[in-house]
Amino acid sequence: MIELKNLHVPAAEGPEGVTAAAAWALGIPRNEIKSLVILRRSIDARRKNAVIFVFSVAVEIDDEAKFLKKKRGRFTRYTPVKPYRFPYSFLSPETRPVVVGMGPAGLFAALCLAEAGAPPVIIERGQPVEQRVMDVERFWETGRLDTASNVQFGEGGAGTFSDGKLTSGISDLRTTYVLKRFMEFGAPESISYLAKPHIGTDRLRTMLISMRQHLTDLGCDIRFGARLTDIEIENGCVKALVIDGEDGTYTFPAEHIVLAPGNSARDTFEMLEIRGVKLSPKNFSVGVRIEHLQSAIDGANYGEAATLGTLPASDYKLAVHPEDGHSVYTFCVCPGGQVVAAASEEGHLVTNGMSYYARDGENCNGGLLVSVSPEDFGHGALDGIAFQRRLEEAAFKHGGGDFRAPAQLVGDFLAKTPSTGPGSVLPTYKPGVTFCNLWDVLPDFVCRALAEAIPEMDRKIRGFAHPDAVLTAVETRSSCPVRIERTEGQSVSVKGLYPAGEGAGYAGGIMSAAVDGIRAAEALCAHL
Ligand SMILES: Cc1cc2nc3c(=O)[nH]c(=O)nc-3n(C[C@H](O)[C@H](O)[C@H](O)COP(=O)(O)OP(=O)(O)OC[C@H]3O[C@@H](n4cnc5c(N)ncnc54)[C@H](O)[C@@H]3O)c2cc1C
């Protein structure tokens, strides 16, 4: 196949125009292209009156060797990148490994271990995704929270009720492997080539069921409603786990544990600290969700091309660095999505965002976050969690004490006056919002940083500071406030414990957590 990079297709033609563009670039009639594989697709919207799709493709034509010779080096053959392969196989350990947590990190660790011949016992405090969806939907309708089965806890982990964005800042061969495995379990093929791939919460949920079936077929022992509550340690090595299961508490002998509990497992971090596992505080971020009309964001990004109907719902990525040292940035933007209630503790309110694959909702929402460090919340390992809890408690109280979220219009927030109701942007958060003054809810330095950043961001995305845009508080769980210190994949203080994923402090997002889970499985297999 012949590789073509940087092919431009005008937005008006839509992505289907790629074959014509490839034929034009090669100087051959369209019908001479036998097949075409998209390697990458992005959108260049820097010139609003000339928005284009930018493609890299591999094209199959007759007699490629002759064609390439005739074109004298103007084109090159496509050489696929060597795929990642898990480097261990045929293991048969004396004691079964255990994976704690069925988020992306735990799932990929379990997958690699099972396929290498060491199917683990998998401990998940939450419920299978079918039950979990019902528990979460009931919470959103009624405000009745299940502290074991919610947006943070259950099969699939924290990203199950998400936009399923798979972008990550890491450069690692394992990312292509993760995409390939996701596609095998039902993710859309577009994730293999889109510059900003996403799965959507609907497709994620069905993928998880296929993944569970595969793990079960490989011999994994999956235990839902099973919470790790303690670790027995002898001579600095793990000896057993104490598990609070559906039939009571039991002790389970275990020497090799991938610990992937996500960033909301506060009780687990408390237990680890008591057991002498070395933890450190780390920087994280807090803030709000901001909601605009999707049409306004598309207009700001695409200009007139927004009305063509050929371009996907758009997002943004903005950052401002106010003088007081607290960076403000947008995070986890969900085009056509909704703001979700993401609490996992009674009396503590948390927001986040999700979208369906179609991204066809009325609004676009994004996290609008202020970075915080131990200077803001204290230097103890668990001080960040205490800080999160204070903000979540304040949000719960100001929302009315029933998981309605405190909210304010951007215009009122900038004027420091309470809001009394929505304008043109209708908030999507369920079970509902209570309009108020967020300056009474969030710490002053957070409000000041947000108030400075919003007008700055409006210079990049026109309408970002629209007075009717809605701010919903509080977003505290975008990353982990704790790190479980590790060396060569193992806890520095307890042998046999392999901390992984976002909760261990080594990942942020679905993709990097999945990659870190694979790394944990590699480290564990090296010791086996
Ligand atoms: C609403 C929402 C939307 C998001 N959207 C995106 C997105 O679009 N793209 C993106 O990249 N990231 C997104 N994220 C972040 C992403 O979900 C996380 O980065 C990722 O899930 C972290 O993976 P993990 O495996 O490390 O932990 P988690 O996914 O948090 O999984 C940890 C699992 O461990 C279980 N567990 C915890 N403690 C115990 C215990 N003691 N015993 C047994 N089980 C335990 C939990 O129930 C959970 O299932 C979103 C998060 C949320 C909440």
Side-chain angles (χ1 to χ4, degrees), residues 24 80 90 167 216 224 252 319 340 345 347 440 479 483 485 496 506:
W24 187 82
F90 307 117
T167 34
T216 309
F224 289 108
F252 187 84
V340 297
E345 288 182 331
D440 298 334
S479 60
R483 173 169 293 126
E485 294 296 341
Y506 297 96

Side-chain angles (χ1 to χ4, degrees), residues 307-319:
T307 55
L308 290 169
T310 54
L311 293 163
S314 65
D315 61 4
Y316 48 80
K317 190 171 181 191
L318 304 166

Side-chain angles (χ1 to χ4, degrees), residues 99-108 122-127 132 140 147-168 197-200 204 223 225-230 242-244 259-269 271 289 331-334 338 340-342 350-355 359 475 477-479 500-514 516-517:
V99 171
V100 178
M102 277 181 92
L107 280 169
F108 270 85
I122 308 175
I123 307 295
E124 169 53 57
R125 74 198 296 164
Q127 294 299 318
R132 187 180 177 202
W140 291 346
T147 54
S149 178
N150 48 56
V151 170
Q152 307 292 345
F153 297 152
E155 186 176 23
T160 305
F161 299 87
S162 83
D163 177 57
K165 269 177 291 300
L166 298 176
T167 34
S168 82
H198 85 110
I199 300 179
L204 265 166
R223 303 181 186 190
R227 184 170 63 98
L228 171 71
T229 54
D230 206 353
V242 180
I243 293 159
D244 195 358
L259 182 62
N263 78 30
S264 293
R266 294 166 170 176
D267 53 345
T268 311
F269 296 127
M271 175 274 286
R289 276 269 139 186
F331 180 76
C332 188
V333 178
C334 300
Q338 61 202 70
V340 297
V350 185
T351 61
N352 212 306
M354 75 170 199
S355 320
R359 286 181 163 174
E475 184 135 337
R477 312 270 184 98
S478 62
S479 60
E502 185 163 311
Y506 297 96
I510 295 170
M511 176 55 83
S512 61
D516 202 53

Side-chain angles (χ1 to χ4, degrees), residues 104-187:
L107 280 169
F108 270 85
L111 184 68
C112 293
L113 290 170
E115 291 182 343
V121 175
I122 308 175
I123 307 295
E124 169 53 57
R125 74 198 296 164
Q127 294 299 318
V129 70
E130 300 89 330
Q131 175 64 43
R132 187 180 177 202
V133 167
M134 290 194 280
D135 296 335
V136 168
E137 282 175 358
R138 192 197 50 242
F139 172 50
W140 291 346
E141 288 307 319
T142 65
R144 283 206 317 276
L145 175 71
D146 183 334
T147 54
S149 178
N150 48 56
V151 170
Q152 307 292 345
F153 297 152
E155 186 176 23
T160 305
F161 299 87
S162 83
D163 177 57
K165 269 177 291 300
L166 298 176
T167 34
S168 82
I170 57 168
S171 163
D172 191 306
L173 254 192
R174 297 173 189 84
T175 56
T176 319
Y177 173 80
V178 171
L179 293 174
K180 181 171 158 281
R181 300 312 304 259
F182 274 148
M183 285 189 286
E184 282 168 26
F185 294 116

Side-chain angles (χ1 to χ4, degrees), residues 430-505:
K430 283 183 182 178
V433 299
T434 302
F435 280 100
C436 60
N437 190 352
L438 291 182
W439 290 82
D440 298 334
V441 181
L442 298 165
D444 207 52
F445 75 89
V446 172
C447 290
R448 275 189 278 112
L450 293 176
E452 189 175 334
I454 291 170
E456 280 284 312
M457 291 177 169
D458 190 77
R459 290 185 200 185
K460 296 190 183 119
I461 293 282
R462 276 292 177 85
F464 193 83
H466 191 286
D468 286 355
V470 179
L471 303 176
T472 309
V474 57
E475 184 135 337
T476 46
R477 312 270 184 98
S478 62
S479 60
C480 198
V482 181
R483 173 169 293 126
I484 308 175
E485 294 296 341
R486 71 183 186 191
T487 173
E488 292 175 8
Q490 282 194 86
S491 153
V492 295
S493 38
V494 180
K495 296 285 164 258
L497 197 60
Y498 301 83
E502 185 163 311

